[in-house]
Amino acid sequence: MKVDADAMLSFAYGLTAMLTISCVWALLQAIGRYAVKINIAKKRHWLISGISD
């Protein structure tokens, strides 16, 4: 039974690690897209203000 318990524990740990990594990766992707949107908006604003000047 000890081997089965160890196997279940390692499986649960691996599954938790995979879920955590995938959640962090998804969060980084969302932050990256948001940052790109902000950068594009800043560049457009700079171009518009430069043209108006």
Short mmCIF file of all heavy atoms in Angstrom, two decimals:
data_model
loop_
_atom_site.label_atom_id
_atom_site.label_comp_id
_atom_site.label_asym_id
_atom_site.label_seq_id
_atom_site.Cartn_x
_atom_site.Cartn_y
_atom_site.Cartn_z
N MET A 1 0.83 -1.20 0.00
CA MET A 1 0.00 0.00 0.00
C MET A 1 0.86 1.26 0.00
O MET A 1 0.48 2.29 -0.54
CB MET A 1 -0.91 0.02 1.24
CG MET A 1 -2.10 -0.94 1.12
SD MET A 1 -3.19 -0.54 -0.28
CE MET A 1 -3.89 1.00 0.29
N LYS A 2 2.04 1.18 0.59
CA LYS A 2 2.90 2.36 0.67
C LYS A 2 3.33 2.81 -0.73
O LYS A 2 3.37 3.99 -1.01
CB LYS A 2 4.14 2.06 1.52
CG LYS A 2 4.94 3.30 1.83
CD LYS A 2 6.15 3.00 2.70
CE LYS A 2 6.82 4.29 3.15
NZ LYS A 2 7.20 5.18 2.06
N VAL A 3 3.60 1.84 -1.60
CA VAL A 3 3.99 2.19 -2.96
C VAL A 3 2.84 2.90 -3.67
O VAL A 3 3.03 3.89 -4.36
CB VAL A 3 4.40 0.91 -3.74
CG1 VAL A 3 4.70 1.25 -5.20
CG2 VAL A 3 5.62 0.27 -3.08
N ASP A 4 1.61 2.39 -3.48
CA ASP A 4 0.44 3.02 -4.09
C ASP A 4 0.25 4.45 -3.57
O ASP A 4 -0.05 5.37 -4.32
CB ASP A 4 -0.81 2.20 -3.82
CG ASP A 4 -0.80 0.88 -4.57
OD1 ASP A 4 -0.07 0.77 -5.57
OD2 ASP A 4 -1.53 -0.02 -4.16
N ALA A 5 0.45 4.64 -2.26
CA ALA A 5 0.30 5.97 -1.66
C ALA A 5 1.35 6.92 -2.24
O ALA A 5 1.05 8.06 -2.57
CB ALA A 5 0.42 5.87 -0.15
N ASP A 6 2.58 6.44 -2.36
CA ASP A 6 3.64 7.28 -2.92
C ASP A 6 3.34 7.64 -4.38
O ASP A 6 3.55 8.77 -4.80
CB ASP A 6 4.99 6.55 -2.85
CG ASP A 6 5.53 6.51 -1.41
OD1 ASP A 6 5.02 7.29 -0.58
OD2 ASP A 6 6.45 5.72 -1.16
N ALA A 7 2.84 6.65 -5.13
CA ALA A 7 2.52 6.90 -6.53
C ALA A 7 1.39 7.92 -6.65
O ALA A 7 1.46 8.83 -7.48
CB ALA A 7 2.12 5.59 -7.21
N MET A 8 0.38 7.79 -5.79
CA MET A 8 -0.74 8.74 -5.81
C MET A 8 -0.26 10.13 -5.42
O MET A 8 -0.66 11.13 -6.00
CB MET A 8 -1.85 8.28 -4.85
CG MET A 8 -2.64 7.11 -5.36
SD MET A 8 -3.59 7.49 -6.86
CE MET A 8 -4.78 8.64 -6.19
N LEU A 9 0.64 10.19 -4.44
CA LEU A 9 1.15 11.48 -3.97
C LEU A 9 1.96 12.16 -5.07
O LEU A 9 1.78 13.34 -5.35
CB LEU A 9 2.02 11.26 -2.72
CG LEU A 9 2.38 12.52 -1.94
CD1 LEU A 9 1.12 13.14 -1.33
CD2 LEU A 9 3.39 12.20 -0.86
N SER A 10 2.83 11.40 -5.72
CA SER A 10 3.64 11.97 -6.79
C SER A 10 2.77 12.38 -7.98
O SER A 10 3.01 13.41 -8.60
CB SER A 10 4.71 10.98 -7.25
OG SER A 10 4.10 9.84 -7.82
N PHE A 11 1.73 11.60 -8.25
CA PHE A 11 0.80 11.95 -9.35
C PHE A 11 0.07 13.24 -9.02
O PHE A 11 -0.04 14.14 -9.86
CB PHE A 11 -0.20 10.80 -9.55
CG PHE A 11 -1.25 11.12 -10.58
CD1 PHE A 11 -0.95 11.13 -11.94
CD2 PHE A 11 -2.54 11.44 -10.18
CE1 PHE A 11 -1.92 11.44 -12.87
CE2 PHE A 11 -3.52 11.75 -11.11
CZ PHE A 11 -3.20 11.73 -12.46
N ALA A 12 -0.43 13.34 -7.79
CA ALA A 12 -1.15 14.55 -7.36
C ALA A 12 -0.22 15.76 -7.41
O ALA A 12 -0.60 16.84 -7.84
CB ALA A 12 -1.71 14.37 -5.96
N TYR A 13 1.03 15.57 -6.97
CA TYR A 13 2.01 16.66 -6.98
C TYR A 13 2.31 17.10 -8.41
O TYR A 13 2.36 18.29 -8.71
CB TYR A 13 3.30 16.19 -6.29
CG TYR A 13 4.37 17.26 -6.25
CD1 TYR A 13 4.28 18.33 -5.36
CD2 TYR A 13 5.47 17.19 -7.11
CE1 TYR A 13 5.25 19.29 -5.32
CE2 TYR A 13 6.45 18.17 -7.08
CZ TYR A 13 6.33 19.22 -6.18
OH TYR A 13 7.29 20.18 -6.15
N GLY A 14 2.48 16.12 -9.31
CA GLY A 14 2.74 16.44 -10.71
C GLY A 14 1.57 17.16 -11.36
O GLY A 14 1.75 18.12 -12.10
N LEU A 15 0.36 16.71 -11.05
CA LEU A 15 -0.84 17.34 -11.60
C LEU A 15 -0.97 18.78 -11.09
O LEU A 15 -1.25 19.70 -11.86
CB LEU A 15 -2.07 16.53 -11.18
CG LEU A 15 -3.36 16.84 -11.94
CD1 LEU A 15 -3.23 16.44 -13.41
CD2 LEU A 15 -4.52 16.08 -11.30
N THR A 16 -0.71 18.98 -9.79
CA THR A 16 -0.77 20.32 -9.21
C THR A 16 0.27 21.23 -9.86
O THR A 16 -0.02 22.39 -10.19
CB THR A 16 -0.54 20.25 -7.69
OG1 THR A 16 -1.49 19.35 -7.12
CG2 THR A 16 -0.71 21.61 -7.05
N ALA A 17 1.47 20.70 -10.05
CA ALA A 17 2.54 21.49 -10.67
C ALA A 17 2.15 21.87 -12.10
O ALA A 17 2.36 23.02 -12.52
CB ALA A 17 3.84 20.70 -10.66
N MET A 18 1.59 20.93 -12.84
CA MET A 18 1.18 21.22 -14.23
C MET A 18 0.11 22.30 -14.26
O MET A 18 0.16 23.22 -15.08
CB MET A 18 0.65 19.94 -14.90
CG MET A 18 1.73 19.04 -15.46
SD MET A 18 1.08 17.47 -16.08
CE MET A 18 -0.16 18.05 -17.22
N LEU A 19 -0.89 22.19 -13.39
CA LEU A 19 -1.97 23.18 -13.34
C LEU A 19 -1.42 24.55 -12.96
O LEU A 19 -1.79 25.56 -13.55
CB LEU A 19 -3.03 22.75 -12.32
CG LEU A 19 -3.94 21.61 -12.77
CD1 LEU A 19 -4.80 21.12 -11.62
CD2 LEU A 19 -4.82 22.03 -13.94
N THR A 20 -0.51 24.58 -11.98
CA THR A 20 0.08 25.85 -11.55
C THR A 20 0.85 26.49 -12.69
O THR A 20 0.71 27.68 -12.96
CB THR A 20 1.01 25.61 -10.34
OG1 THR A 20 0.28 24.96 -9.32
CG2 THR A 20 1.56 26.92 -9.82
N ILE A 21 1.67 25.69 -13.39
CA ILE A 21 2.47 26.21 -14.50
C ILE A 21 1.56 26.72 -15.61
O ILE A 21 1.79 27.79 -16.17
CB ILE A 21 3.43 25.11 -15.02
CG1 ILE A 21 4.53 24.85 -13.97
CG2 ILE A 21 4.04 25.52 -16.35
CD1 ILE A 21 5.31 23.59 -14.23
N SER A 22 0.50 25.97 -15.92
CA SER A 22 -0.41 26.40 -17.00
C SER A 22 -1.14 27.68 -16.61
O SER A 22 -1.34 28.56 -17.45
CB SER A 22 -1.40 25.29 -17.33
OG SER A 22 -2.22 25.00 -16.23
N CYS A 23 -1.51 27.81 -15.34
CA CYS A 23 -2.18 29.04 -14.88
C CYS A 23 -1.23 30.23 -14.96
O CYS A 23 -1.59 31.30 -15.43
CB CYS A 23 -2.66 28.87 -13.43
SG CYS A 23 -4.15 27.87 -13.30
N VAL A 24 0.01 30.04 -14.52
CA VAL A 24 1.01 31.12 -14.59
C VAL A 24 1.26 31.49 -16.04
O VAL A 24 1.35 32.67 -16.38
CB VAL A 24 2.32 30.67 -13.90
CG1 VAL A 24 3.45 31.65 -14.18
CG2 VAL A 24 2.09 30.55 -12.40
N TRP A 25 1.38 30.49 -16.92
CA TRP A 25 1.63 30.76 -18.34
C TRP A 25 0.47 31.54 -18.95
O TRP A 25 0.69 32.51 -19.68
CB TRP A 25 1.82 29.43 -19.08
CG TRP A 25 2.23 29.60 -20.50
CD1 TRP A 25 3.49 29.88 -20.94
CD2 TRP A 25 1.40 29.52 -21.66
NE1 TRP A 25 3.47 29.98 -22.32
CE2 TRP A 25 2.21 29.76 -22.78
CE3 TRP A 25 0.03 29.26 -21.86
CZ2 TRP A 25 1.69 29.74 -24.08
CZ3 TRP A 25 -0.46 29.25 -23.15
CH2 TRP A 25 0.36 29.49 -24.23
N ALA A 26 -0.76 31.17 -18.62
CA ALA A 26 -1.94 31.88 -19.14
C ALA A 26 -1.95 33.32 -18.63
O ALA A 26 -2.27 34.25 -19.38
CB ALA A 26 -3.22 31.17 -18.72
N LEU A 27 -1.57 33.51 -17.37
CA LEU A 27 -1.52 34.85 -16.80
C LEU A 27 -0.46 35.69 -17.51
O LEU A 27 -0.71 36.85 -17.86
CB LEU A 27 -1.19 34.74 -15.30
CG LEU A 27 -1.40 36.00 -14.46
CD1 LEU A 27 -2.88 36.35 -14.39
CD2 LEU A 27 -0.85 35.78 -13.07
N LEU A 28 0.70 35.10 -17.77
CA LEU A 28 1.76 35.82 -18.49
C LEU A 28 1.31 36.18 -19.90
O LEU A 28 1.60 37.28 -20.39
CB LEU A 28 3.04 34.96 -18.54
CG LEU A 28 3.79 34.84 -17.22
CD1 LEU A 28 4.93 33.85 -17.36
CD2 LEU A 28 4.31 36.19 -16.75
N GLN A 29 0.61 35.26 -20.57
CA GLN A 29 0.10 35.55 -21.91
C GLN A 29 -0.86 36.73 -21.88
O GLN A 29 -0.79 37.62 -22.72
CB GLN A 29 -0.63 34.32 -22.46
CG GLN A 29 0.29 33.17 -22.84
CD GLN A 29 1.03 33.42 -24.13
OE1 GLN A 29 0.55 34.13 -24.99
NE2 GLN A 29 2.20 32.83 -24.26
N ALA A 30 -1.76 36.75 -20.89
CA ALA A 30 -2.73 37.84 -20.77
C ALA A 30 -2.01 39.16 -20.50
O ALA A 30 -2.34 40.18 -21.11
CB ALA A 30 -3.72 37.53 -19.65
N ILE A 31 -1.02 39.14 -19.59
CA ILE A 31 -0.27 40.36 -19.29
C ILE A 31 0.49 40.83 -20.53
O ILE A 31 0.53 42.03 -20.82
CB ILE A 31 0.71 40.09 -18.12
CG1 ILE A 31 -0.08 39.90 -16.82
CG2 ILE A 31 1.70 41.24 -17.97
CD1 ILE A 31 0.75 39.38 -15.68
N GLY A 32 1.06 39.89 -21.27
CA GLY A 32 1.80 40.24 -22.48
C GLY A 32 0.90 40.90 -23.52
O GLY A 32 1.26 41.93 -24.10
N ARG A 33 -0.27 40.35 -23.72
CA ARG A 33 -1.21 40.94 -24.69
C ARG A 33 -1.65 42.33 -24.23
O ARG A 33 -1.76 43.24 -25.04
CB ARG A 33 -2.44 40.03 -24.84
CG ARG A 33 -2.13 38.78 -25.62
CD ARG A 33 -3.37 37.91 -25.74
NE ARG A 33 -3.02 36.59 -26.26
CZ ARG A 33 -3.79 35.53 -26.15
NH1 ARG A 33 -4.95 35.61 -25.53
NH2 ARG A 33 -3.41 34.39 -26.66
N TYR A 34 -1.91 42.48 -22.93
CA TYR A 34 -2.33 43.76 -22.38
C TYR A 34 -1.21 44.80 -22.54
O TYR A 34 -1.46 45.93 -22.95
CB TYR A 34 -2.68 43.57 -20.90
CG TYR A 34 -3.34 44.77 -20.27
CD1 TYR A 34 -4.59 45.19 -20.71
CD2 TYR A 34 -2.72 45.47 -19.24
CE1 TYR A 34 -5.21 46.29 -20.13
CE2 TYR A 34 -3.33 46.56 -18.66
CZ TYR A 34 -4.58 46.96 -19.10
OH TYR A 34 -5.17 48.04 -18.53
N ALA A 35 0.03 44.38 -22.29
CA ALA A 35 1.17 45.29 -22.43
C ALA A 35 1.34 45.71 -23.89
O ALA A 35 1.63 46.86 -24.18
CB ALA A 35 2.44 44.60 -21.94
N VAL A 36 1.14 44.78 -24.82
CA VAL A 36 1.25 45.10 -26.25
C VAL A 36 0.18 46.13 -26.62
O VAL A 36 0.44 47.09 -27.34
CB VAL A 36 1.11 43.82 -27.10
CG1 VAL A 36 0.89 44.17 -28.57
CG2 VAL A 36 2.36 42.96 -26.95
N LYS A 37 -1.04 45.94 -26.12
CA LYS A 37 -2.12 46.90 -26.40
C LYS A 37 -1.76 48.28 -25.87
O LYS A 37 -1.97 49.28 -26.54
CB LYS A 37 -3.43 46.42 -25.76
CG LYS A 37 -4.10 45.31 -26.53
CD LYS A 37 -5.40 44.90 -25.85
CE LYS A 37 -6.03 43.71 -26.57
NZ LYS A 37 -7.22 43.23 -25.87
N ILE A 38 -1.20 48.34 -24.67
CA ILE A 38 -0.81 49.64 -24.08
C ILE A 38 0.29 50.28 -24.93
O ILE A 38 0.23 51.48 -25.22
CB ILE A 38 -0.33 49.43 -22.62
CG1 ILE A 38 -1.51 49.06 -21.73
CG2 ILE A 38 0.36 50.69 -22.11
CD1 ILE A 38 -1.11 48.65 -20.34
N ASN A 39 1.27 49.49 -25.35
CA ASN A 39 2.36 50.03 -26.16
C ASN A 39 1.83 50.57 -27.49
O ASN A 39 2.25 51.64 -27.93
CB ASN A 39 3.42 48.94 -26.43
CG ASN A 39 4.29 48.70 -25.21
OD1 ASN A 39 4.42 49.57 -24.36
ND2 ASN A 39 4.88 47.53 -25.13
N ILE A 40 0.92 49.84 -28.14
CA ILE A 40 0.35 50.29 -29.41
C ILE A 40 -0.42 51.59 -29.19
O ILE A 40 -0.30 52.53 -29.97
CB ILE A 40 -0.56 49.19 -30.01
CG1 ILE A 40 0.31 48.01 -30.49
CG2 ILE A 40 -1.39 49.75 -31.16
CD1 ILE A 40 -0.49 46.78 -30.85
N ALA A 41 -1.20 51.65 -28.10
CA ALA A 41 -1.97 52.86 -27.80
C ALA A 41 -1.03 54.04 -27.57
O ALA A 41 -1.28 55.14 -28.06
CB ALA A 41 -2.85 52.62 -26.57
N LYS A 42 0.07 53.82 -26.84
CA LYS A 42 1.03 54.90 -26.59
C LYS A 42 1.67 55.36 -27.89
O LYS A 42 1.84 56.55 -28.12
CB LYS A 42 2.11 54.43 -25.61
CG LYS A 42 1.66 54.42 -24.17
CD LYS A 42 2.80 54.01 -23.26
CE LYS A 42 2.36 54.01 -21.80
NZ LYS A 42 3.42 53.51 -20.93
N LYS A 43 2.03 54.42 -28.76
CA LYS A 43 2.66 54.78 -30.04
C LYS A 43 1.68 55.58 -30.90
O LYS A 43 2.05 56.58 -31.51
CB LYS A 43 3.11 53.52 -30.77
CG LYS A 43 4.38 52.93 -30.21
CD LYS A 43 4.77 51.65 -30.92
CE LYS A 43 6.01 51.04 -30.30
NZ LYS A 43 6.31 49.73 -30.86
N ARG A 44 0.43 55.16 -30.95
CA ARG A 44 -0.58 55.88 -31.73
C ARG A 44 -0.77 57.28 -31.17
O ARG A 44 -0.85 58.25 -31.91
CB ARG A 44 -1.91 55.11 -31.70
CG ARG A 44 -1.93 53.92 -32.64
CD ARG A 44 -3.30 53.26 -32.62
NE ARG A 44 -3.32 52.06 -33.45
CZ ARG A 44 -4.27 51.14 -33.39
NH1 ARG A 44 -5.26 51.27 -32.54
NH2 ARG A 44 -4.22 50.09 -34.18
N HIS A 45 -0.84 57.37 -29.85
CA HIS A 45 -1.03 58.68 -29.21
C HIS A 45 0.16 59.59 -29.54
O HIS A 45 -0.02 60.76 -29.83
CB HIS A 45 -1.16 58.49 -27.69
CG HIS A 45 -1.36 59.79 -26.97
ND1 HIS A 45 -2.52 60.51 -27.07
CD2 HIS A 45 -0.55 60.49 -26.14
CE1 HIS A 45 -2.40 61.62 -26.33
NE2 HIS A 45 -1.22 61.62 -25.76
N TRP A 46 1.38 59.02 -29.48
CA TRP A 46 2.58 59.79 -29.79
C TRP A 46 2.56 60.25 -31.25
O TRP A 46 2.89 61.41 -31.54
CB TRP A 46 3.82 58.93 -29.52
CG TRP A 46 5.10 59.64 -29.82
CD1 TRP A 46 5.70 60.58 -29.06
CD2 TRP A 46 5.94 59.44 -30.97
NE1 TRP A 46 6.85 60.99 -29.65
CE2 TRP A 46 7.03 60.32 -30.81
CE3 TRP A 46 5.87 58.62 -32.07
CZ2 TRP A 46 8.05 60.37 -31.77
CZ3 TRP A 46 6.88 58.69 -33.02
CH2 TRP A 46 7.95 59.55 -32.86
N LEU A 47 2.14 59.36 -32.15
CA LEU A 47 2.07 59.73 -33.56
C LEU A 47 1.04 60.84 -33.79
O LEU A 47 1.31 61.82 -34.49
CB LEU A 47 1.70 58.51 -34.42
CG LEU A 47 2.84 57.51 -34.66
CD1 LEU A 47 2.27 56.24 -35.29
CD2 LEU A 47 3.90 58.10 -35.56
N ILE A 48 -0.13 60.68 -33.16
CA ILE A 48 -1.19 61.68 -33.33
C ILE A 48 -0.75 63.04 -32.77
O ILE A 48 -0.92 64.07 -33.40
CB ILE A 48 -2.50 61.20 -32.66
CG1 ILE A 48 -3.05 59.98 -33.43
CG2 ILE A 48 -3.54 62.31 -32.59
CD1 ILE A 48 -4.12 59.23 -32.68
N SER A 49 -0.16 63.02 -31.57
CA SER A 49 0.27 64.27 -30.95
C SER A 49 1.41 64.90 -31.77
O SER A 49 1.49 66.11 -31.90
CB SER A 49 0.70 64.04 -29.50
OG SER A 49 1.82 63.19 -29.46
N GLY A 50 2.27 64.04 -32.34
CA GLY A 50 3.37 64.55 -33.16
C GLY A 50 2.85 65.21 -34.43
O GLY A 50 3.34 66.26 -34.84
N ILE A 51 1.81 64.61 -35.02
CA ILE A 51 1.24 65.18 -36.25
C ILE A 51 0.52 66.50 -35.93
O ILE A 51 0.64 67.47 -36.64
CB ILE A 51 0.25 64.17 -36.89
CG1 ILE A 51 1.04 62.97 -37.45
CG2 ILE A 51 -0.57 64.82 -37.99
CD1 ILE A 51 0.16 61.78 -37.76
N SER A 52 -0.22 66.53 -34.79
CA SER A 52 -0.96 67.74 -34.43
C SER A 52 -0.01 68.88 -34.10
O SER A 52 -0.34 70.05 -34.33
CB SER A 52 -1.92 67.46 -33.26
OG SER A 52 -1.17 67.13 -32.12
N ASP A 53 1.15 68.58 -33.53
CA ASP A 53 2.13 69.63 -33.23
C ASP A 53 2.68 70.17 -34.54
O ASP A 53 2.89 71.34 -34.67
CB ASP A 53 3.27 69.08 -32.37
CG ASP A 53 2.80 68.81 -30.94
OD1 ASP A 53 1.73 69.32 -30.58
OD2 ASP A 53 3.50 68.10 -30.24
#
